[in-house]
Amino acid sequence: MWSYVVRRLIFGAILVFAATIVSFTILRMSPGEPGQAEIDPRMSQDYIDQQKKLFGEDQPPVRQYLRWLGVLKLVGADTTSGILQGSMGRSRMYDQPVAGLVKSRIGATIMLNMITLLFTWLVAIPLGTWAAVKQYKWPDKFLAALSFCGMSAPGFFLALLLLWIFCSHLNLLPPGGLRAPNHDMLNPVAQVLDYLKHMIVPVLVLTFGALAGLQRIMRGKMLETLRENYIVTARAKGLSTSKVLYKHAMRNAINPLVTLLGFQFAGLFSGSALLENVINYPGMGQLMLSAARAKDQAVVMSVFLIGALMLVVGNLLAELLLGVIDPRVTYA
Amino acid sequence: MPEPINPATSAQSPVASEAQVEARALVPLVPAGRLRIGWRIFRRHKPGMVGLVILAALYFIAIFADFLAPYSYENEARDLQWSPPTRLHFVADGHFGFRPYIHPKRSFIDEDFNIRQEEDFAKRCYLRFFVQGDEHRLLGVFQTRWRLFGVDPLAAAVVKTSGDTYYSRLYLVGSDTSGRDIFSRLLYGSRISMSIGIIATSIVLVIGLFVGGVSGYFVGPVDDILQRICEMIMLLPGFYLLLMLRFMFPASMDSVKIYFCVVLIMSLIAWPGLARVIRGMVLSVRTMDFVHAARAIGQSPLRIIWNHVLPNTYGYVIVSATLGIPGYILGESGLSLLGLGIMEPIPSWGNMLQKAMDIVELDQHPWVLCPGVCIFLAVMAFNLVGDGLRDALDPRQRKVQ
C-alpha cells in the first residue's frame, strides 16, 4: 500500500508541476503586461524599469517561471527565493508578499467551507435515510422535490434573494462581507457572533446546493443496503426496526459515502469562489478574481498552485479512505 | 449491438392478401427501437414531461423574442429609470373591462432627493395586441415592426401643459437603470442562456466521444497519454481555470466573440469528464463479438468506433448531455454576473443580475432579481428532463434511483 501511496504522490507532484506550467502559459498568453495596472502616467520611466527589475519582469518568460519556482536560487543564478524555498513571491498589485495575502484570506474561505461541509453531512445523512425508509411516500417525494430545487437554484441568485429578505427587508443580517464596520471595537464574544452572522447566508446557500446530491446518494445507498440479506436476517431474528435501521443498515450505507469526503476536501478551497465574489466575502475566490484582473502573476500562480495541490491531495485521500473502509479494495 | 431484424420486411409471407398488407400498413410492425421505448417510458415520467413543456416554452420565447417582447432590448427611457412594475388597470369609470390600460408616468426628484414617480390619472393608455413597436428582424429574415402586444403607439409620450413629460410605457416587471423594460430584456436574454448550453454541449460531445472512443478502443500508449491529459484538466480547480482562461481574451470584445469565447472556455474544461466515462464503456464494449466481427471483415478502427462501439453509449451520452447543460447555463450567468461574460447592452440573465449585487440597489428595486428566477426555471427544466431521460434511456442507473 505504501508503495502505491508513494507512486500516487509522485504522480500528483508531476501533475501539480504541470499545473503551474499551464497557469504560467495561460498568463503569458493573455494580452497585456503583468503589472501594467500599476503603471501611472506620473511615474518616471526609471521608476517603472526599476519596479520591473524588482519583480523580475525584465527577464525572459522561462526565466521568470524558474525564478517563481525557485530553481534559479537553487542553482545560484538569482537571489529571490521561490516556491521551492517556501516563498510564493511578491504581489505586484498589493505590493506585499503573496503568503501574507493568502494567509489573510484562506482562513475565511476554509472556515466557510468547513462549516458548510459539517452542516451538509449532519443534515443530508438523516434526510437521505428518512427518504429511503419512506420510499415513494410523501417524505421521499418532498425531499426529491427539495433536492431538485437545491440542484437547480443558482447559488448566486439564492444568496442575493436571502440578502434581500434578511438584510434589506427584515434587517436581521448584515449585507454580505465578513466583518461589520465596527468589528474591531467589539469584544471577543461579539466578534465571533459578528463572524457567524455574516456566514449565515453563504453557509445556507452552499449547504442547500450540496445537500441535494449527498442526500440523494445516501438515499440510493440506503435503499441498496436495505435489500441485502443481512438486513432480512436481522429483521427475521426479531430486532426492532430502529436497531436494524441505525445499527445495521445506516452504518453500511454511510461507508461508501466516506470517499466523498476526500473529494470535498478539494472543495474547501475553491468551492465557494463565485459566491464569495457575489456577496463580497473576503476569501480566496475574491483574491483570485482581482489578481487575475490585474494580471498579478505571483498571486494568480500561487493561488492556482494551492488549488491544484488541494485537489491532488483530496483525490488521494478519497482513494485511501475507500481502501480503509472497504477491505475488498486493494492497492497494488 | 446489431440491429434486430425487422419483421415487417422479413416476415412478409409471399401470399399475403391485399387486406393483410393494408392492415400491416396501419399497424406498424416495426419493433420498437430503443428511442421509441425510451419515449414511451419518458412520457409516463411526469416531472420530465413538465420539464419538457417548460423547455419548449423557453425555446419558443428565445426564437420569437423579437415578436413577443413589447420593446427592443435597447429601447430606453432615461427619465423612467428604475420604474417599478406598471400597474395594469381593468376598471374604467366603475366598469370592469377586459382591456387593461395604464396611466402615463413621469419621474421627479422630491424634497428628500429621492427619485419618485407619479402617474397621470387623467389619461389612459390602452394595451393592444399587435402593435407597431421597435423595428426587428423576425427569425433574422423578416424586417417588421409588429410586436405581439404593447401600449397603443399613438400615446407614446404625452406632454403636459406644465412642461413635464409623461411616458406611457409598459413595464411588466419594472425597468432598469436606463429605463429599459426588464421583461423585454428577459425574453431577449433567454436567447443567450438557452443557446449557450446546447452549443457548449455539442462541442463537449464531439471532443468527449472522440477522445473517449479512441482512448478506450486503442488501449495502450494512446490511452495513457489521453487519460493523463484528462486527469490533468480535471485536477485543475475549475472556477479558477475558467477565470484565467477568460482573461486570455481581451476584457472587452464584441458580443458575438465573447459569446463564443465563453462557450469555448466552458467546453474546454468540461470534456474530460465525459471522455473518461465513454472510455470506460468503450473498454467493456470492445471485447464483444460484434466488434471482433467488424474487425474481422476489415473495417477501419475509426469506423468501428463510430458505427459499432459508440452507439452503445448513446443512452448515457444523451442523459449526461442533458444534465450537463445546466452547468453551462450557470457558468455563463456566473461569468456575466462578474462582468466577464456577455456585455451590455446585449441582455443575458447573468449580466442583468449585476445590479442586484449592490445591496442598496437590491433594496430599492428588488425586481432586478427576476433574471435569477428565469435561470432557476431553465436549469430546473433541464434537470427534470435529464432525470426523466435517465429513467428512460439508461437502465443501469434506473435501478439505484
Side-chain angles (χ1 to χ4, degrees):
Chain A
M1 167 161 171
W2 285 112
S3 74
Y4 176 81
V5 173
V6 169
R7 247 188 315 134
R8 291 292 302 187
L9 276 178
I10 292 173
F11 179 61
I14 295 173
L15 267 178
V16 170
F17 175 69
T20 63
I21 295 183
V22 167
S23 67
F24 187 77
T25 316
I26 293 176
L27 272 176
R28 295 310 300 192
M29 279 165 71
S30 321
E33 291 274 304
Q36 67 175 9
E38 271 66 54
I39 292 176
D40 194 300
R42 286 169 302 179
M43 291 175 180
S44 70
Q45 191 57 44
D46 286 347
Y47 177 74
I48 294 173
D49 288 344
Q50 186 201 339
Q51 284 287 311
K52 272 197 167 171
K53 202 169 164 141
L54 190 66
F55 287 95
E57 282 155 16
D58 52 343
Q59 296 162 2
V62 179
R63 227 181 131 85
Q64 279 186 43
Y65 173 71
L66 293 177
R67 182 176 185 263
W68 174 81
L69 208 60
V71 176
L72 284 191
K73 186 172 184 186
L74 211 63
V75 297
D78 202 298
T79 49
T80 338
S81 34
I83 293 295
L84 291 179
Q85 284 85 33
S87 153
M88 290 191 272
R90 203 174 166 80
S91 157
R92 190 89 151 79
M93 179 173 50
Y94 296 94
D95 199 20
Q96 51 173 301
V98 177
L101 280 175
V102 169
K103 218 164 94 186
S104 69
R105 305 290 193 111
I106 201 167
T109 295
I110 293 209
M111 191 65 171
L112 173 61
N113 287 301
M114 287 273 255
I115 298 179
T116 304
L117 192 66
L118 194 73
F119 254 63
T120 314
W121 280 75
L122 281 182
V123 180
I125 299 300
L127 281 189
T129 312
W130 193 39
V133 173
K134 304 264 176 192
Q135 195 190 8
Y136 302 135
K137 300 209 179 85
W138 72 263
D140 185 29
K141 283 181 182 160
F142 171 73
L143 285 174
L146 201 69
S147 354
F148 250 106
C149 288
M151 259 193 283
S152 308
F156 50 84
F157 166 61
L158 219 56
L160 293 172
L161 192 69
L162 287 179
L163 280 186
W164 177 56
I165 296 172
F166 289 105
C167 173
S168 70
H169 254 241
L170 303 174
N171 225 345
L172 288 174
L173 295 177
L178 180 60
R179 295 176 191 89
N182 61 346
H183 182 85
D184 293 331
M185 288 180 278
L186 299 170
N187 58 353
V189 180
Q191 275 187 346
V192 172
L193 281 179
D194 185 44
Y195 279 134
L196 288 181
K197 245 178 160 180
H198 281 84
M199 280 191 187
I200 291 178
V201 168
V203 166
L204 270 182
V205 169
L206 291 174
T207 307
F208 191 54
L211 196 62
L214 193 60
Q215 190 256 114
R216 294 315 276 174
I217 297 172
M218 179 64 197
R219 173 182 174 273
K221 292 284 173 213
M222 193 70 185
L223 283 177
E224 251 174 59
T225 315
L226 285 178
R227 270 188 232 120
E228 299 281 350
N229 284 336
Y230 59 80
I231 298 292
V232 180
T233 312
R235 271 193 216 273
K237 75 178 182 189
L239 278 189
S240 68
T241 315
S242 68
K243 255 203 180 133
V244 173
L245 271 184
Y246 300 111
K247 281 239 155 136
H248 293 240
M250 209 162 140
R251 272 193 189 179
N252 287 299
I254 291 179
N255 273 354
L257 290 188
V258 174
T259 51
L260 282 178
L261 268 180
F263 293 115
Q264 284 175 333
F265 177 78
L268 286 185
F269 184 72
S270 51
S272 56
L274 177 60
L275 188 67
E276 283 174 14
N277 283 302
V278 170
I279 62 163
N280 206 14
Y281 187 88
M284 297 304 292
Q286 227 194 11
L287 179 68
M288 181 68 170
L289 178 61
S290 58
R293 265 214 176 101
K295 303 223 167 302
D296 200 335
Q297 200 165 291
V299 177
V300 172
M301 289 188 62
S302 304
V303 172
F304 203 73
L305 172 72
I306 302 175
L309 212 62
M310 298 272 284
L311 269 165
V312 168
V313 174
N315 283 351
L316 184 62
L317 222 62
E319 277 176 40
L320 294 182
L321 275 174
L322 186 67
V324 170
I325 56 158
D326 191 345
R328 282 169 298 184
V329 178
T330 51
Y331 298 106
Chain B
M1 216 172 289
E3 270 300 307
I5 300 157
N6 191 337
T9 51
S10 65
Q12 231 165 23
S13 64
V15 286
S17 69
E18 265 180 32
Q20 272 176 318
V21 172
E22 215 172 79
R24 263 197 203 116
L26 287 175
V27 186
L29 282 177
V30 184
R34 254 185 304 172
L35 275 181
R36 193 173 301 200
I37 295 176
W39 169 240
R40 249 179 238 159
I41 303 174
F42 184 82
R43 233 172 13 187
R44 283 201 302 269
H45 193 273
K46 254 183 231 155
M49 284 306 281
V50 170
L52 199 65
V53 170
I54 298 177
L55 279 190
L58 284 174
Y59 277 106
F60 180 80
I61 288 172
I63 292 169
F64 293 102
D66 283 318
F67 178 64
L68 298 173
Y71 301 101
S72 98
Y73 60 86
E74 283 177 309
N75 187 334
E76 49 184 38
R78 299 242 162 167
D79 287 343
L80 287 183
Q81 59 168 303
W82 293 123
S83 175
T86 311
R87 250 175 303 168
L88 293 179
H89 301 272
F90 287 93
V91 179
D93 310 321
H95 297 286
F96 180 84
F98 281 105
R99 278 188 71 193
Y101 65 88
I102 60 173
H103 293 304
K105 256 193 220 175
R106 81 180 173 104
S107 72
F108 62 98
I109 295 170
D110 69 0
E111 54 272 19
D112 298 329
F113 299 104
N114 290 321
I115 298 175
R116 298 270 302 276
Q117 300 202 336
E118 183 189 57
E119 281 178 311
D120 177 9
F121 293 107
K123 292 235 164 48
R124 286 180 203 143
C125 305
Y126 282 93
L127 298 189
R128 284 206 337 215
F129 278 117
F130 302 108
V131 290
Q132 299 240 318
D134 301 316
E135 206 165 339
H136 62 88
R137 269 176 190 279
L138 192 61
L139 300 173
V141 185
F142 309 108
Q143 188 120 17
T144 168
R145 301 183 77 89
W146 290 107
R147 281 166 185 272
L148 180 65
F149 67 100
V151 183
D152 208 329
L154 293 175
V158 194
V159 182
K160 258 204 151 180
T161 41
S162 61
D164 297 325
T165 316
Y166 282 75
Y167 294 88
S168 58
R169 277 177 75 97
L170 174 69
Y171 293 130
L172 283 179
V173 289
S175 74
D176 69 2
T177 175
S178 44
R180 294 174 297 196
D181 178 26
I182 289 189
F183 177 72
S184 300
R185 287 173 67 77
L186 282 180
L187 300 192
Y188 279 101
S190 68
R191 290 185 163 171
I192 304 279
S193 291
M194 299 315 285
S195 62
I196 210 155
I198 300 284
I199 298 182
T201 306
S202 343
I203 298 178
V204 168
L205 278 187
V206 172
I207 307 179
L209 279 177
F210 181 76
V211 173
V214 168
S215 185
Y217 187 77
F218 303 104
V219 259
V222 182
D223 181 38
D224 273 345
I225 294 171
L226 288 174
Q227 284 316 300
R228 291 301 91 76
I229 295 176
C230 287
E231 264 169 47
M232 170 89 217
I233 298 178
M234 285 170 84
L235 267 182
L236 297 176
F239 185 73
Y240 293 164
L241 191 62
L242 200 69
L243 280 185
M244 288 177 58
L245 285 172
R246 175 61 188 87
F247 282 109
M248 259 178 79
F249 299 89
S252 49
M253 297 184 284
D254 69 276
S255 316
V256 182
K257 271 190 197 157
I258 289 196
Y259 179 89
F260 282 106
C261 151
V262 170
V263 169
L264 199 76
I265 293 171
M266 290 194 301
S267 18
L268 210 65
I269 295 177
W271 67 265
L274 184 69
R276 274 184 85 99
V277 183
I278 298 290
R279 169 183 172 266
M281 299 173 97
V282 171
L283 273 181
S284 68
V285 174
R286 69 187 287 274
T287 52
M288 289 188 180
D289 286 342
F290 61 90
V291 177
H292 290 311
R295 207 177 303 159
I297 60 171
Q299 283 196 334
S300 72
L302 279 182
R303 215 187 146 86
I304 298 176
I305 294 174
W306 184 251
N307 281 348
H308 301 288
V309 179
L310 286 184
N312 288 287
T313 64
Y314 281 170
Y316 173 82
V317 166
I318 293 175
V319 173
S320 81
T322 316
L323 289 175
I325 291 177
Y328 306 119
I329 295 180
L330 291 176
E332 181 274 325
S333 20
L335 277 181
S336 298
L337 182 66
L338 298 179
L340 303 172
I342 311 295
M343 300 275 180
E344 290 276 331
I346 309 289
S348 107
W349 290 341
N351 72 20
M352 288 169 74
L353 268 176
Q354 257 180 45
K355 281 280 186 292
M357 279 159 65
D358 186 344
I359 192 77
V360 181
E361 301 264 26
L362 182 61
D363 185 31
Q364 285 169 1
H365 352 275
W367 53 89
V368 284
L369 281 177
C370 282
V373 181
C374 293
I375 301 174
F376 174 58
L377 208 66
V379 170
M380 176 92 137
F382 273 112
N383 277 336
L384 288 174
V385 171
D387 206 44
L389 283 178
R390 178 163 48 203
D391 274 9
L393 296 176
D394 204 358
R396 253 160 301 191
Q397 295 189 27
R398 200 185 304 151
K399 197 174 55 193
V400 187
Q401 280 296 309

Short mmCIF file of all heavy atoms in Angstrom, two decimals, chain B residues 245-271:
data_model
loop_
_atom_site.label_atom_id
_atom_site.label_comp_id
_atom_site.label_asym_id
_atom_site.label_seq_id
_atom_site.Cartn_x
_atom_site.Cartn_y
_atom_site.Cartn_z
N LEU B 245 -8.64 31.44 -18.02
CA LEU B 245 -8.84 31.30 -19.46
C LEU B 245 -9.60 32.50 -20.01
O LEU B 245 -9.34 32.97 -21.11
CB LEU B 245 -9.60 30.02 -19.77
CG LEU B 245 -8.78 28.74 -19.65
CD1 LEU B 245 -9.67 27.53 -19.79
CD2 LEU B 245 -7.69 28.71 -20.71
N ARG B 246 -10.55 33.01 -19.21
CA ARG B 246 -11.30 34.17 -19.66
C ARG B 246 -10.37 35.36 -19.86
O ARG B 246 -10.53 36.13 -20.80
CB ARG B 246 -12.40 34.50 -18.64
CG ARG B 246 -13.17 35.77 -18.95
CD ARG B 246 -13.89 35.66 -20.28
NE ARG B 246 -14.48 36.94 -20.68
CZ ARG B 246 -13.86 37.88 -21.35
NH1 ARG B 246 -12.60 37.69 -21.70
NH2 ARG B 246 -14.45 39.01 -21.68
N PHE B 247 -9.39 35.47 -18.99
CA PHE B 247 -8.50 36.63 -19.11
C PHE B 247 -7.47 36.44 -20.21
O PHE B 247 -6.66 37.33 -20.46
CB PHE B 247 -7.82 36.92 -17.77
CG PHE B 247 -8.74 37.62 -16.82
CD1 PHE B 247 -9.25 36.98 -15.71
CD2 PHE B 247 -9.13 38.92 -17.07
CE1 PHE B 247 -10.11 37.62 -14.85
CE2 PHE B 247 -10.00 39.57 -16.22
CZ PHE B 247 -10.49 38.92 -15.11
N MET B 248 -7.47 35.26 -20.84
CA MET B 248 -6.62 35.10 -22.01
C MET B 248 -7.15 35.92 -23.17
O MET B 248 -6.44 36.22 -24.11
CB MET B 248 -6.58 33.63 -22.43
CG MET B 248 -5.35 32.92 -21.98
SD MET B 248 -5.47 31.22 -22.48
CE MET B 248 -5.04 31.35 -24.19
N PHE B 249 -8.45 36.23 -23.10
CA PHE B 249 -9.05 37.02 -24.16
C PHE B 249 -9.21 38.44 -23.66
O PHE B 249 -9.33 38.66 -22.46
CB PHE B 249 -10.42 36.44 -24.53
CG PHE B 249 -10.33 35.04 -25.04
CD1 PHE B 249 -10.40 33.97 -24.16
CD2 PHE B 249 -10.14 34.80 -26.38
CE1 PHE B 249 -10.31 32.67 -24.63
CE2 PHE B 249 -10.05 33.50 -26.85
CZ PHE B 249 -10.12 32.44 -25.97
N PRO B 250 -9.20 39.41 -24.55
CA PRO B 250 -9.35 40.79 -24.10
C PRO B 250 -10.66 40.96 -23.33
O PRO B 250 -11.65 40.26 -23.61
CB PRO B 250 -9.40 41.59 -25.40
CG PRO B 250 -8.98 40.67 -26.48
CD PRO B 250 -9.04 39.29 -25.99
N ALA B 251 -10.64 41.87 -22.35
CA ALA B 251 -11.80 42.02 -21.47
C ALA B 251 -13.02 42.49 -22.26
O ALA B 251 -14.12 42.02 -22.03
CB ALA B 251 -11.48 43.01 -20.36
N SER B 252 -12.82 43.40 -23.21
CA SER B 252 -13.98 43.87 -23.96
C SER B 252 -13.80 43.52 -25.43
O SER B 252 -12.85 43.94 -26.07
CB SER B 252 -14.17 45.37 -23.78
OG SER B 252 -12.96 46.03 -24.00
N MET B 253 -14.70 42.69 -25.90
CA MET B 253 -14.73 42.35 -27.32
C MET B 253 -16.17 42.55 -27.75
O MET B 253 -17.02 42.87 -26.95
CB MET B 253 -14.35 40.89 -27.52
CG MET B 253 -12.96 40.54 -27.10
SD MET B 253 -12.58 38.84 -27.48
CE MET B 253 -13.46 37.96 -26.22
N ASP B 254 -16.46 42.33 -29.04
CA ASP B 254 -17.87 42.44 -29.38
C ASP B 254 -18.59 41.18 -28.91
O ASP B 254 -17.99 40.14 -28.66
CB ASP B 254 -18.08 42.72 -30.87
CG ASP B 254 -17.71 41.55 -31.73
OD1 ASP B 254 -16.50 41.42 -32.03
OD2 ASP B 254 -18.60 40.77 -32.08
N SER B 255 -19.91 41.33 -28.75
CA SER B 255 -20.68 40.33 -28.01
C SER B 255 -20.56 38.93 -28.61
O SER B 255 -20.49 37.95 -27.88
CB SER B 255 -22.14 40.72 -27.98
OG SER B 255 -22.24 42.06 -27.70
N VAL B 256 -20.56 38.85 -29.93
CA VAL B 256 -20.51 37.53 -30.56
C VAL B 256 -19.22 36.82 -30.17
O VAL B 256 -19.20 35.64 -29.82
CB VAL B 256 -20.61 37.67 -32.09
CG1 VAL B 256 -20.61 36.30 -32.74
CG2 VAL B 256 -21.86 38.43 -32.45
N LYS B 257 -18.11 37.57 -30.20
CA LYS B 257 -16.82 36.98 -29.85
C LYS B 257 -16.83 36.51 -28.41
O LYS B 257 -16.35 35.42 -28.10
CB LYS B 257 -15.71 38.01 -30.07
CG LYS B 257 -15.14 37.98 -31.47
CD LYS B 257 -13.90 38.83 -31.52
CE LYS B 257 -13.54 39.18 -32.95
NZ LYS B 257 -12.72 40.38 -33.01
N ILE B 258 -17.33 37.36 -27.52
CA ILE B 258 -17.36 36.98 -26.11
C ILE B 258 -18.20 35.73 -25.92
O ILE B 258 -17.82 34.80 -25.20
CB ILE B 258 -17.93 38.12 -25.25
CG1 ILE B 258 -16.92 39.25 -25.19
CG2 ILE B 258 -18.25 37.63 -23.85
CD1 ILE B 258 -17.15 40.23 -24.11
N TYR B 259 -19.34 35.69 -26.63
CA TYR B 259 -20.22 34.54 -26.53
C TYR B 259 -19.46 33.26 -26.86
O TYR B 259 -19.46 32.29 -26.10
CB TYR B 259 -21.40 34.74 -27.49
CG TYR B 259 -22.40 33.64 -27.53
CD1 TYR B 259 -23.48 33.64 -26.67
CD2 TYR B 259 -22.27 32.59 -28.43
CE1 TYR B 259 -24.41 32.63 -26.70
CE2 TYR B 259 -23.20 31.58 -28.47
CZ TYR B 259 -24.27 31.61 -27.61
OH TYR B 259 -25.18 30.60 -27.65
N PHE B 260 -18.75 33.27 -28.00
CA PHE B 260 -18.06 32.05 -28.40
C PHE B 260 -16.86 31.79 -27.53
O PHE B 260 -16.48 30.64 -27.30
CB PHE B 260 -17.70 32.12 -29.88
CG PHE B 260 -18.89 31.83 -30.74
CD1 PHE B 260 -19.52 32.84 -31.43
CD2 PHE B 260 -19.42 30.56 -30.80
CE1 PHE B 260 -20.65 32.58 -32.18
CE2 PHE B 260 -20.54 30.29 -31.54
CZ PHE B 260 -21.15 31.30 -32.24
N CYS B 261 -16.25 32.85 -27.02
CA CYS B 261 -15.13 32.68 -26.11
C CYS B 261 -15.60 31.97 -24.85
O CYS B 261 -14.97 31.02 -24.37
CB CYS B 261 -14.55 34.06 -25.83
SG CYS B 261 -13.78 34.29 -24.28
N VAL B 262 -16.77 32.38 -24.32
CA VAL B 262 -17.30 31.74 -23.12
C VAL B 262 -17.64 30.27 -23.39
O VAL B 262 -17.30 29.38 -22.61
CB VAL B 262 -18.55 32.51 -22.62
CG1 VAL B 262 -19.25 31.74 -21.53
CG2 VAL B 262 -18.17 33.88 -22.11
N VAL B 263 -18.27 30.03 -24.55
CA VAL B 263 -18.61 28.65 -24.92
C VAL B 263 -17.35 27.79 -24.98
O VAL B 263 -17.28 26.70 -24.42
CB VAL B 263 -19.32 28.62 -26.29
CG1 VAL B 263 -19.43 27.21 -26.79
CG2 VAL B 263 -20.69 29.24 -26.19
N LEU B 264 -16.35 28.33 -25.65
CA LEU B 264 -15.10 27.60 -25.86
C LEU B 264 -14.44 27.25 -24.52
O LEU B 264 -14.05 26.11 -24.27
CB LEU B 264 -14.16 28.47 -26.69
CG LEU B 264 -13.04 27.74 -27.37
CD1 LEU B 264 -13.58 27.00 -28.56
CD2 LEU B 264 -11.97 28.73 -27.82
N ILE B 265 -14.36 28.25 -23.64
CA ILE B 265 -13.72 28.04 -22.35
C ILE B 265 -14.44 26.95 -21.56
O ILE B 265 -13.81 26.04 -21.02
CB ILE B 265 -13.73 29.35 -21.53
CG1 ILE B 265 -12.87 30.40 -22.19
CG2 ILE B 265 -13.25 29.11 -20.13
CD1 ILE B 265 -13.03 31.75 -21.56
N MET B 266 -15.77 27.05 -21.55
CA MET B 266 -16.52 26.09 -20.73
C MET B 266 -16.40 24.68 -21.29
O MET B 266 -16.26 23.71 -20.54
CB MET B 266 -17.98 26.50 -20.64
CG MET B 266 -18.16 27.74 -19.79
SD MET B 266 -19.87 28.03 -19.32
CE MET B 266 -20.66 28.16 -20.87
N SER B 267 -16.41 24.55 -22.63
CA SER B 267 -16.31 23.19 -23.16
C SER B 267 -14.90 22.64 -22.99
O SER B 267 -14.71 21.44 -22.81
CB SER B 267 -16.74 23.12 -24.62
OG SER B 267 -16.74 24.35 -25.23
N LEU B 268 -13.93 23.54 -23.01
CA LEU B 268 -12.54 23.11 -22.82
C LEU B 268 -12.35 22.47 -21.44
O LEU B 268 -11.56 21.55 -21.27
CB LEU B 268 -11.63 24.33 -22.95
CG LEU B 268 -10.24 24.09 -23.47
CD1 LEU B 268 -10.32 23.61 -24.90
CD2 LEU B 268 -9.43 25.38 -23.41
N ILE B 269 -13.09 22.99 -20.46
CA ILE B 269 -12.95 22.47 -19.10
C ILE B 269 -13.79 21.22 -18.91
O ILE B 269 -13.44 20.33 -18.14
CB ILE B 269 -13.36 23.56 -18.09
CG1 ILE B 269 -12.38 24.71 -18.17
CG2 ILE B 269 -13.40 23.02 -16.68
CD1 ILE B 269 -12.71 25.85 -17.28
N ALA B 270 -14.90 21.11 -19.67
CA ALA B 270 -15.88 20.07 -19.33
C ALA B 270 -15.66 18.74 -20.04
O ALA B 270 -16.15 17.72 -19.56
CB ALA B 270 -17.29 20.59 -19.65
N TRP B 271 -14.93 18.70 -21.16
CA TRP B 271 -14.92 17.45 -21.92
C TRP B 271 -14.28 16.25 -21.22
O TRP B 271 -14.72 15.12 -21.45
CB TRP B 271 -14.33 17.64 -23.33
CG TRP B 271 -12.87 17.97 -23.38
CD1 TRP B 271 -12.33 19.21 -23.45
CD2 TRP B 271 -11.78 17.06 -23.37
NE1 TRP B 271 -10.98 19.14 -23.47
CE2 TRP B 271 -10.61 17.83 -23.43
CE3 TRP B 271 -11.67 15.67 -23.32
CZ2 TRP B 271 -9.34 17.26 -23.43
CZ3 TRP B 271 -10.40 15.11 -23.32
CH2 TRP B 271 -9.25 15.90 -23.38
#
